[in-house]
Amino acid sequence: MNNDDRVLSIPLKKTDPVELYLPLRKLVVSKYSENDAQKVESVLETLNKCRRDMVERRGDLSLPMQRDCLIHYFKCLSMVELLFTSISSDADVDPVIFVWYDAFNPDHQDGVSSERNAIQLEKAAVVFNLGAICSQIAASCDRTTALGRHLAMEAFKVAANFFLKLWKVFAKGVVSATLDLTRRFAKFLHLLFSAQASELELREQFNNNDASSVYKLYRRAYELIPADSAAWNYVNSFDQTWVPHLCQKATFFEAEARQWKSSILPKSKRPFPEAYESRVQSCAIDQAECVTETLVSGICSLSRELKPPQIYVDLILSEYNPFKITKDGKLVAYPWDMPPPYPINSAILSSPLPSSRASEILAFIPLKKSEPLNDLYESLRSYFVLKYSESVAKRVEGFLEMLHKLRNEMLRDDLSLPFRRDCLVLYFKCLCMIEPFFPMKASPNPPVFVWYNAIIPQHHSSQHNIHLEKASVLFNLGALCIHIALSCDQSTIHGYRLAKDALKDAFYWNDKLRRESKRASGTIDLSGQYFDVIQDEIHNEFAHLKRKFHRHDVSSLPDSANMSRDGPLANYDPSDVTEQFLLGYCKAHSLLHFGADSLPHGVCEAECLDLLSEFSPVKIEDGNLVANAILEAPNLALENMSLQETTQQSFKFSIAEHEASSSHMKDETNYLASPSSKIQQEEHSLSLLLSELSNLWSSYNSTKGNAISNALTRDVKNPEGSLGRAAALQSALIKERREVREQQQRTMLDSIPKDLNRPWEDPSQSLMKGILLRSLRVLVLVVIGETGSGKTTQITQYLAEAGYTTRGKIGCTQPRRVAATSVAKRVAEEFGCQLGEEVGYAIRFEDSTGPDTVIKYMTEGMLLREILADENLSQYSVIMLDEAHERTINTDVLFGLLKQLVQRRPEL
């Protein structure tokens, strides 16, 4: 039996014109005020324009433009939904009547009005038309090409999702509707388009399922129609070939399923999905006509994993979102046919001081830097010429130019936060599109990505691996969202919501980075230990925001507003018309981006359909991927605007700059201006870092009180001169006697049985995360704390847990033999090992270490002996000079030797 290649699509519902602006504005003025009406006036104007264009300009608009108009209109309609509820309950207000006609009746005899359905009929009809327009897009694709088949498959999936929502949600509230809006018919259309999408998916071998799934969908769709005589007559009156077509499809795929089962391989010999997927992908890439389709498939694969941006981040900061919140609280909805970029509210980013300990740590996270790739376009284009042909390279050269331009823009230092975010997101999507072509073995000069460590700029990674590029972009997206959150004006409700959503985005990007970094061997800032520290601090900052701005109990709000305490409308005010409009926008956003259960896509989440839009940065034209010429001029204007706003929008969170006095800054400027050697500059940088850490921890301890009083720090200057040295020697003798007494007490306590399995509770655990983060950023770190704060016993264990022992031992010096032995014994007990195994010590005439030792305590003389034998101390990854302020001869010599060593070994 032959299979019919015809696909079915449905027409759009038609409606009568309706004036919406004047009655809705009048209602807002009467219910609220004239000032409130001005705040939402732009939304009402855009709503009215969208519906007028949807009715009057249908013949002038292409199918993708009709889809854009319908999606824009649906968002505006959801924003004013509560106004229609007021109209239906207020007898003094003239009702707005929508009249819609049956899509399958060309004579328009069975129109139905919304007198009994309020806005439910309008929303159901718009959802129907969204599904119908997607089915028409699918039917219009050239299915003789790989790209056309892929676009048709994705469009049918989206159409099926829309009709699923119509069946499950919108058709329930419509009374006396036409037959095309009944739940049975919506279910029938959902099954029909799901079957057609699965059939195309089976043809392209994008999955390893058998034909039985396609057969079941066609069979279920076919059985719905004969079971209802009205539906049977209804379908036959529109097209008498539909029912026989469905029957033929079900019969054909039933036979295909039986044949597949009869020749099925044993379960042990079936290919794994991953192997099957890679085989299909390699076959597709080897065919020249499939190159464009492979690029589009990359963005579709991303859309299945990529979560849409948080609502407030998209509303305020995205230049590609036509809905905006201005600085005076107005809601702006730009016309659907106005190309981006759209103005943003940059006043909300005011760069305040960090308000919590978590924000103080997060404020130090910089962006990763990279070397420019001036030959990226030429390298990629030459690959397509050598691998395929000149004609294939011409089909994708517009996309390659866009990729090259985005990478250059991404590396600019003068970009504002919003523009840099949009640039990074778009560049990441382009990387996902071109990822299947890596590694480019056929290219004589593949692109080399060079990225520097964000914490230690002296370290870098240079690879052909595109996963390094993706991981680095994800790192910058996470860091940028943190910068946005910390720079928000949190004195306003919009600033608070933006900060909260930006932290959610940062957490999400870092989570994506954790998975991507496993395939990229980059610098240490792409390691798991770094992610754990950053994610914990993001969580702490998010909790701080919730405690600071939680004004009243969310459970007391109406059900429509009780979305989530962490939702985009925290502290929702139901008496504010702007808040009501925002609530409607959130509902539409949730419907369009998080949709159907049991389906791989959200309702309209098909990135390849966005490539058909007139306003997409990269679009599909005649089977080619080209840069959108419509957006070139606005982007140039946006770049100029970004240059002018850079000084106001650049993110600078240096605690030392905020707390330093003007006199200190003047002295620093004079110092740097004077001629000095490199060593002097390093000493100055080290002193600034010491002051910075001291101010940071002191500020934090003043807020936390006694919880971490042992970690209080202070800046102590070393005494100079003979009297000072004599006082220091006397202090050292007193301290040595005290340590002898403490050793005797510990010996007595060691004889008492103790529970070694009970975990030790560290009161300064949160402070150590900041120390670890600092240790990634600098080569030399000075830690100052009171006696008993855990400098000697705890920092070594935290460094071991952070992974420093993978590159060598952690060495810690002590000025006296007794201190080295007693501390090593104490740390071994806490570490859970025998002394001399993972934790050991070395003193003169006694070495209690082994091949498994990762933490080693020793006297300063022993370290001098080791550095004489191995001047690079190649066995060590960390060296700690404890009690360095006592300034013995050994300590001073070690200072000089280690200062030269860190120049030879910057990773030490």
Side-chain angles (χ1 to χ4, degrees), residues 55 67-68 138 210 296 310 728:
V55 175
R67 172 180 173 267
D68 293 343
D210 61 291
V296 175
Q310 297 294 328

Side-chain angles (χ1 to χ4, degrees), residues 316-317 325-328 344-351 487-489 492 498 645 648-649:
I316 296 179
L317 297 184
I325 301 176
T326 62
K327 59 183 179 181
D328 53 356
I344 63 169
N345 176 17
S346 58
I348 201 169
L349 302 177
S350 59
S351 300
S487 63
C488 289
D489 183 7
T492 64
L498 176 59
E645 295 180 355
Q648 300 176 359
Q649 297 302 321

Side-chain angles (χ1 to χ4, degrees), residues 373 375-376 379-380 435 437-441 443-451 461-470 519-521:
L373 276 177
D375 59 343
L376 179 61
S379 176
L380 296 178
E435 179 182 354
F437 296 95
F438 278 81
M440 294 182 172
K441 298 179 180 179
S443 176
N445 57 336
V448 180
F449 304 107
V450 180
W451 285 89
S461 180
S462 175
Q463 301 178 21
H464 298 291
N465 189 1
I466 195 175
H467 296 292
L468 172 65
E469 184 84 350
K470 290 179 63 180
R519 296 186 287 178
S521 55

Side-chain angles (χ1 to χ4, degrees), residues 543-564:
H544 169 74
L545 278 177
K546 287 173 59 179
R547 290 192 302 267
K548 183 177 180 181
F549 291 95
H550 185 52
R551 299 177 181 175
H552 54 274
D553 188 8
V554 177
S555 60
S556 62
L557 299 176
D559 292 339
S560 60
N562 191 13
M563 300 174 64
S564 170

Side-chain angles (χ1 to χ4, degrees), residues 18 86 99-100 115-116 147 196 221 231 287 351 363 400 449 471 520 650 659 687 700 709 753 774 829 841 868:
V18 176
S86 303
V99 179
W100 284 89
E115 293 184 70
R116 300 176 56 190
L147 178 61
Q196 294 186 156
Q287 301 173 9
S351 300
L400 300 180
F449 304 107
S650 57
E659 297 186 354
S687 64
Y700 173 52
S709 58
R774 277 297 191 161
E829 291 178 356
Y841 67 90
L868 289 175

Side-chain angles (χ1 to χ4, degrees), residues 90-102:
D90 193 346
D92 298 333
V93 179
D94 296 333
V96 178
I97 305 299
F98 300 104
V99 179
W100 284 89
Y101 299 95
D102 197 305

Side-chain angles (χ1 to χ4, degrees), residues 109-212:
Q109 298 296 324
D110 298 325
V112 61
S113 69
S114 61
E115 293 184 70
R116 300 176 56 190
N117 304 284
I119 199 174
Q120 283 78 12
L121 173 64
E122 184 78 356
K123 294 185 70 175
V126 173
V127 172
F128 181 97
N129 278 358
L130 279 168
I133 202 69
C134 289
S135 73
Q136 293 183 18
I137 291 174
S140 65
C141 293
D142 182 8
R143 295 186 301 281
T144 61
T145 64
L147 178 61
R149 291 190 293 271
H150 182 88
L151 292 175
M153 177 186 66
E154 296 293 336
F156 275 133
K157 284 183 179 181
V158 175
N161 287 352
F162 274 117
F163 284 108
L164 178 65
K165 279 299 179 181
L166 180 62
W167 166 33
K168 296 286 189 179
V169 179
F170 295 101
K172 291 182 178 180
V174 181
V175 183
S176 300
T178 50
L179 191 59
D180 56 350
L181 291 183
T182 58
R183 297 189 65 199
R184 174 180 287 271
F185 202 75
K187 180 180 180 181
F188 163 72
L189 293 175
H190 162 65
L191 293 173
L192 170 63
F193 294 132
S194 296
Q196 294 186 156
S198 298
E199 179 183 352
L200 288 171
E201 196 171 25
L202 186 65
R203 287 185 185 179
E204 292 299 298
Q205 296 183 340
F206 283 149
N207 57 23
N208 57 346
N209 296 327
D210 61 291
S212 60

Side-chain angles (χ1 to χ4, degrees), residues 570-697:
N571 302 330
Y572 169 78
D573 184 6
S575 62
D576 189 350
V577 65
T578 306
E579 296 281 277
Q580 291 190 12
F581 276 44
L582 285 175
L583 180 61
Y585 179 86
C586 294
K587 290 181 178 179
H589 183 274
S590 177
L591 173 73
L592 295 174
H593 292 279
F594 307 93
D597 303 331
S598 77
L599 286 177
H601 291 285
V603 171
C604 73
E605 272 295 285
E607 294 283 350
C608 60
L609 297 186
D610 292 335
L611 297 178
L612 300 174
S613 174
E614 294 293 331
F615 308 131
S616 174
V618 180
K619 59 180 299 187
I620 300 174
E621 280 187 1
D622 301 328
N624 302 328
L625 278 176
V626 300
N628 197 338
I630 299 178
L631 304 183
E632 290 298 323
N635 282 333
L636 292 176
L638 184 63
E639 292 174 15
N640 295 332
M641 181 180 67
S642 177
L643 287 172
Q644 296 173 1
E645 295 180 355
T646 300
T647 55
Q648 300 176 359
Q649 297 302 321
S650 57
F651 181 85
K652 293 182 179 179
F653 278 115
S654 176
I655 302 301
E657 290 179 358
H658 288 316
E659 297 186 354
S661 62
S662 59
S663 60
H664 177 76
M665 295 299 294
K666 182 177 179 180
D667 295 340
E668 178 186 348
T669 304
N670 293 336
Y671 178 88
L672 294 177
S674 61
S676 57
S677 65
K678 181 177 180 181
I679 297 179
Q680 289 175 332
Q681 293 179 359
E682 291 178 354
E683 291 177 348
H684 181 65
S685 300
L686 186 61
S687 64
L688 288 179
L689 176 61
L690 175 61
S691 175
E692 182 180 347
L693 276 177
S694 178
N695 293 334
L696 175 62
W697 299 130

